[in-house]
Amino acid sequence: MIALLAFYLFATLTIASAVLVVFARNPVHSVLWLIVAFFNAAGLMLLTGAEFIAMLLVIVYVGAVAVLFLFVVMMLDIDFAQLRSGVTRNLPFGLLIALVLLAEIVIAVSAYRAGPVFERGAAAPAANAVPNIEALGHELYSRYLLPFELAGLILLVAMIGAIVLTHRSRGDGRRQNASRQIARRPEDAVKIAKPQVGQGVEL
Amino acid sequence: MSYIAPILPEIIVGLGAIILMMVAAFVRRASLITHWAAIGILIAACFALIGAPQEAGRVFGGMFAADGFAAFGKVIIYLSAAVAIVAAHGWFDQDFEHGAEYPVLILLSSVGASVMVSATDLMMLYVGLELQSLSAYVLASYRRSDERSAEAGLKYFVLGALASGILLYGISLLYGFTGTTYFDGIAAAFRTDAGSIGLTFGLVFTLAGIAFKIAAVPFHMWTPDVYEGAPTPVTAFFASGPKIAALLLGTRVCLEAMGPATDAWRQIVIFAALASIFLGAVAAYGQTNIKRLLAYSSINNVGFVMIGIAAGGEGGGTSVLFYSAVYVVMTLGAFLCVLRMRDVDGRPVESLESLSGLSQTRPGLAAALAIFMFSLAGIPPLFGFWPKLMVFTAAVDAGLIALAVAGIIGTVVGAYYYIKIVKIMYFDAPVGEPYARVRAPVETALIALAAILVSPLGYLLIGPLGRLSANAASVF
């Protein structure tokens, strides 16, 4: 019962926020609605028992992709109102694409109902008893230990590469020099003057 | 501990790279330390290749092979990486900011290359390949203030990413149609049903991806630009270690994973081999830049190695290994000579024209370069002739007589431009000012050693090197 309720909740919110992505006037709001859609899609994934994909959706899409979107939208000075002005002109084309996508979905579903395309050689899915995050973790640290560690080295190379190719120490950089700051005495820096009334101070 | 010993060389090089990275980050003027330490690490890794664990066979559930074939490849990779580090020593300016990180990237690239020669699983193969290439992209644009170097890096990166995509596509097809990523499993699937369209597609795409990495025609177009633009020590590295790694990887994929489907891949490999030999020979004619010319020379040589792959079996494998070892010595020697081409201000000179009359101004350098050129051309008294003979013998033994004949014709065509360089050095009058003399005793010793190895004295090595490579190829 609760699962059914949750499904309708997540599904409705996904569709509603997806619609709002398209119709929001402000592009920043669009991206925020997109994040809501991602969260709800992750909820749907949880309901089907694919908790790993759910987490991935939150971490990768919400954590990285959507934030990147937000940056781009905020940085680029795009006049979205002008972009939208051609809606009526492009409507037939948009409807055509929507029709093609719908046809593809129908064909894909009916093909799926007709049975698998290639039966032989398909790897068996993991047993239901093990949650799939646990199963993946187990595989990653046992059978795929070596490729996993090497993937870490690849990331290290990416970091070193980024630094080597972009970093340069500039001559005019103003770094804090703590020892110089501490060694500075008041005598060197402060001059106390007692000016007479009506006369200026000599600096 | 039994699972650490077979990957000890990789662990030494990988951990060494991480430690040197920290040294480079925290020690001022660490360039000298990291260069020599990296060379020490690579030599230590070579010693780690000796011993029983390196004959352990398949480890990590069959993903990683520690066998003679892999060990042979790793020795070549580590030694050529060490030479690339020595060569860089006088190359980057004394105050070059990231000179200390250069050996770190070479080490990481070597780890990737050595995983490639050991991979017996598609995932392992891909991870090794990416580790090697990603470091290579950075190395190619190492002199980022130099426009050509930046261009080389970007071009290499974009085209390399495309090739990785093609390779991954092939891998996913192979996995989809066989249900396994292990080479054994794929071979078994090919044995039971060799005519499957899906498997054939997977095979073609995988081979195309690998052909890109070894710069075989028709996937060679990036090579001349990248070899020209990258700093010369880096080019020397590209032409030796990673190239051999990709060649040996291709050998293992063809002979082990796709062994039962020999008829399917043989025609592809033969086409790529002949196209590489002839295009490498013909396109080199008009070149005026020595690095571009050596790039075409490497394309040409890859073609000959691929004849060995096409021959297949133990004989083919032996010839591939033997050819690789001799090719690396010749190429590294030639690049070390190119590194000596500096003008009075120490700036590198790359034009063929500047070589004219070298025999009068620098007789030693001219003699060494002439030896390497004659050897690369495969002219008999020199050692470069022998591996070519082995490759053609393997092809004839496999019944591919037409291929061997075409290859021999290709050798003759290619000899032209190698001899042209010798002619420029020995018969043309000197033009412009001679090269500045560089004091680099280690490099000079390496050039002399390489020249002796490929001279007729090298024939003394036929026995031991032949035994080693035959022993290494016995896995097929």
Side-chain angles (χ1 to χ4, degrees), chain B residues 124-161:
Chain B
M124 209 70 214
L125 175 164
Y126 184 71
V127 171
L129 195 74
E130 279 306 297
L131 181 55
Q132 181 264 310
S133 331
L134 210 63
S135 324
Y137 304 146
V138 179
L139 285 170
S141 46
Y142 213 75
R143 283 167 80 98
R144 55 174 185 200
S145 52
D146 177 13
E147 227 171 71
R148 285 190 312 164
S149 180
E151 180 200 332
L154 190 63
K155 216 171 238 179
Y156 196 18
F157 176 66
V158 171
L159 290 174

Side-chain angles (χ1 to χ4, degrees), chain B residues 389-450:
Chain B
L389 183 69
M390 280 184 77
V391 165
F392 295 139
T393 315
V396 171
D397 287 345
L400 304 166
I401 295 169
L403 175 64
V405 172
I408 291 167
I409 295 171
T411 317
V412 178
V413 176
Y416 170 81
Y417 66 86
Y418 292 121
I419 295 175
K420 196 177 89 178
I421 296 181
V422 178
K423 178 228 153 205
I424 291 173
M425 289 191 300
Y426 276 85
F427 298 106
D428 287 4
V431 181
E433 41 190 296
Y435 301 137
R437 285 188 181 275
V438 187
R439 249 187 59 79
V442 184
E443 284 177 51
T444 313
L446 281 175
I447 293 178
L449 180 68

Side-chain angles (χ1 to χ4, degrees), chain B residues 290 293-294 334 368-379 382 417-419 421-422 425:
Chain B
I290 183 105
L293 191 130
L294 285 173
L369 196 53
I371 287 178
F372 296 131
M373 288 300 137
F374 274 128
S375 185
L376 278 166
I379 290 171
L382 292 159
Y417 66 86
Y418 292 121
I419 295 175
I421 296 181
V422 178
M425 289 191 300

Side-chain angles (χ1 to χ4, degrees), chain B residues 209-247:
Chain B
I210 295 173
F212 179 91
K213 297 289 176 192
I214 60 177
V217 177
F219 302 100
H220 67 286
M221 53 291 176
W222 56 276
T223 323
D225 292 341
V226 171
Y227 279 31
E228 184 192 350
T232 310
V234 174
T235 313
F237 181 59
F238 285 175
S240 51
K243 178 161 289 216
I244 297 308
L247 271 170

Side-chain angles (χ1 to χ4, degrees), chain B residues 15 167 205 274-275 315 324 382:
Chain B
L15 279 183
L167 180 70
F205 277 105
L274 288 181
S324 306
L382 292 159

Side-chain angles (χ1 to χ4, degrees), chain B residues 200-214:
Chain B
T200 313
F201 262 90
L203 177 153
V204 170
F205 277 105
T206 309
L207 284 184
I210 295 173
F212 179 91
K213 297 289 176 192
I214 60 177

Side-chain angles (χ1 to χ4, degrees), chain A residues 23-153:
Chain A
F23 285 105
R25 284 213 166 270
N26 188 331
V28 177
H29 292 175
S30 286
V31 178
L32 293 177
W33 281 119
L34 194 64
I35 294 175
V36 176
F38 284 146
F39 266 116
N40 284 294
L44 286 175
M45 291 294 174
L46 267 183
L47 288 183
T48 56
E51 63 268 24
F52 181 68
I53 295 183
M55 296 304 139
L56 220 56
L57 209 63
V58 172
I59 294 169
V60 176
Y61 279 86
V62 177
V65 177
V67 172
L68 214 65
F69 261 138
L70 212 55
F71 270 130
V72 172
V73 166
M74 285 169 153
M75 279 177 171
L76 295 181
D77 187 21
I78 303 172
D79 188 355
F80 282 87
Q82 201 194 347
L83 275 181
R84 294 231 179 104
S85 63
V87 164
T88 44
R89 202 153 33 87
N90 295 330
L91 193 63
F93 187 63
L95 284 178
L96 185 73
I97 289 182
L99 209 67
V100 169
L101 284 177
L102 184 69
E104 277 184 341
I105 290 173
V106 171
I107 292 172
V109 168
S110 50
Y112 176 73
R113 289 252 172 81
V117 186
F118 305 110
E119 293 211 30
R120 176 184 43 77
N128 266 338
V130 190
N132 55 41
I133 295 180
E134 216 176 299
L136 270 167
H138 193 261
E139 288 285 282
L140 222 47
Y141 284 101
S142 59
R143 182 142 52 123
Y144 294 107
L145 175 70
L146 199 51
F148 184 65
E149 294 294 332
L150 285 169
L153 271 190

